[in-house]
PDB file of all heavy atoms in Angstrom:
ATOM      1  N   ILE A  17      98.558  17.110 -52.682  1.00  0.00           N
ATOM      2  CA  ILE A  17      99.360  17.323 -53.919  1.00  0.00           C
ATOM      3  C   ILE A  17      98.603  18.332 -54.770  1.00  0.00           C
ATOM      4  O   ILE A  17      97.483  18.053 -55.194  1.00  0.00           O
ATOM      5  CB  ILE A  17      99.621  16.044 -54.639  1.00  0.00           C
ATOM      6  CG1 ILE A  17     100.377  15.028 -53.801  1.00  0.00           C
ATOM      7  CG2 ILE A  17     100.401  16.281 -55.954  1.00  0.00           C
ATOM      8  CD1 ILE A  17     100.553  13.655 -54.399  1.00  0.00           C
ATOM      9  N   LEU A  18      99.184  19.468 -55.023  1.00  0.00           N
ATOM     10  CA  LEU A  18      98.511  20.536 -55.731  1.00  0.00           C
ATOM     11  C   LEU A  18      98.356  20.207 -57.207  1.00  0.00           C
ATOM     12  O   LEU A  18      99.204  19.642 -57.818  1.00  0.00           O
ATOM     13  CB  LEU A  18      99.253  21.840 -55.562  1.00  0.00           C
ATOM     14  CG  LEU A  18      99.224  22.398 -54.141  1.00  0.00           C
ATOM     15  CD1 LEU A  18     100.067  23.722 -54.113  1.00  0.00           C
ATOM     16  CD2 LEU A  18      97.816  22.740 -53.712  1.00  0.00           C
ATOM     17  N   ARG A  19      97.146  20.557 -57.759  1.00  0.00           N
ATOM     18  CA  ARG A  19      96.846  20.421 -59.158  1.00  0.00           C
ATOM     19  C   ARG A  19      96.768  19.006 -59.610  1.00  0.00           C
ATOM     20  O   ARG A  19      97.033  18.681 -60.774  1.00  0.00           O
ATOM     21  CB  ARG A  19      97.837  21.226 -60.057  1.00  0.00           C
ATOM     22  CG  ARG A  19      97.768  22.710 -59.769  1.00  0.00           C
ATOM     23  CD  ARG A  19      98.805  23.494 -60.572  1.00  0.00           C
ATOM     24  NE  ARG A  19      98.876  24.851 -60.127  1.00  0.00           N
ATOM     25  CZ  ARG A  19      99.519  25.287 -59.030  1.00  0.00           C
ATOM     26  NH1 ARG A  19     100.230  24.409 -58.335  1.00  0.00           N
ATOM     27  NH2 ARG A  19      99.457  26.528 -58.653  1.00  0.00           N
ATOM     28  N   ALA A  20      96.510  18.061 -58.706  1.00  0.00           N
ATOM     29  CA  ALA A  20      96.401  16.691 -59.037  1.00  0.00           C
ATOM     30  C   ALA A  20      95.208  16.060 -58.377  1.00  0.00           C
ATOM     31  O   ALA A  20      94.978  16.270 -57.150  1.00  0.00           O
ATOM     32  CB  ALA A  20      97.685  15.928 -58.637  1.00  0.00           C
ATOM     33  N   GLU A  59     104.273  20.574 -56.398  1.00  0.00           N
ATOM     34  CA  GLU A  59     104.002  21.341 -55.199  1.00  0.00           C
ATOM     35  C   GLU A  59     103.096  20.498 -54.290  1.00  0.00           C
ATOM     36  O   GLU A  59     102.151  19.847 -54.708  1.00  0.00           O
ATOM     37  CB  GLU A  59     103.371  22.640 -55.531  1.00  0.00           C
ATOM     38  CG  GLU A  59     104.271  23.559 -56.261  1.00  0.00           C
ATOM     39  CD  GLU A  59     103.589  24.946 -56.530  1.00  0.00           C
ATOM     40  OE1 GLU A  59     102.596  25.010 -57.203  1.00  0.00           O
ATOM     41  OE2 GLU A  59     104.095  25.953 -55.943  1.00  0.00           O
ATOM     42  N   GLN A 263      98.458  31.231 -54.618  1.00  0.00           N
ATOM     43  CA  GLN A 263      97.554  31.846 -55.588  1.00  0.00           C
ATOM     44  C   GLN A 263      96.203  31.989 -54.899  1.00  0.00           C
ATOM     45  O   GLN A 263      95.899  31.268 -53.953  1.00  0.00           O
ATOM     46  CB  GLN A 263      97.356  30.996 -56.856  1.00  0.00           C
ATOM     47  CG  GLN A 263      98.663  30.776 -57.667  1.00  0.00           C
ATOM     48  CD  GLN A 263      98.470  29.777 -58.781  1.00  0.00           C
ATOM     49  OE1 GLN A 263      97.813  28.736 -58.541  1.00  0.00           O
ATOM     50  NE2 GLN A 263      99.002  30.061 -59.919  1.00  0.00           N
ATOM     51  N   TYR A 268      94.090  29.735 -58.865  1.00  0.00           N
ATOM     52  CA  TYR A 268      94.458  28.300 -58.791  1.00  0.00           C
ATOM     53  C   TYR A 268      93.525  27.423 -59.625  1.00  0.00           C
ATOM     54  O   TYR A 268      93.983  26.518 -60.344  1.00  0.00           O
ATOM     55  CB  TYR A 268      94.352  27.873 -57.305  1.00  0.00           C
ATOM     56  CG  TYR A 268      94.636  26.365 -57.069  1.00  0.00           C
ATOM     57  CD1 TYR A 268      95.873  25.887 -57.237  1.00  0.00           C
ATOM     58  CD2 TYR A 268      93.601  25.525 -56.627  1.00  0.00           C
ATOM     59  CE1 TYR A 268      96.161  24.511 -57.053  1.00  0.00           C
ATOM     60  CE2 TYR A 268      93.845  24.206 -56.451  1.00  0.00           C
ATOM     61  CZ  TYR A 268      95.106  23.708 -56.616  1.00  0.00           C
ATOM     62  OH  TYR A 268      95.361  22.361 -56.401  1.00  0.00           O
ATOM     63  N   SER A 271      94.500  27.507 -63.174  1.00  0.00           N
ATOM     64  CA  SER A 271      95.818  26.914 -63.470  1.00  0.00           C
ATOM     65  C   SER A 271      95.764  25.422 -63.664  1.00  0.00           C
ATOM     66  O   SER A 271      96.745  24.813 -64.104  1.00  0.00           O
ATOM     67  CB  SER A 271      96.759  27.286 -62.335  1.00  0.00           C
ATOM     68  OG  SER A 271      96.481  26.465 -61.157  1.00  0.00           O
TER      69      SER A 271
END
Side-chain angles (χ1 to χ4, degrees):
I17 301 176
L18 292 177
R19 298 176 188 83
E59 294 184 295
Q263 298 172 317
Y268 177 69
S271 74

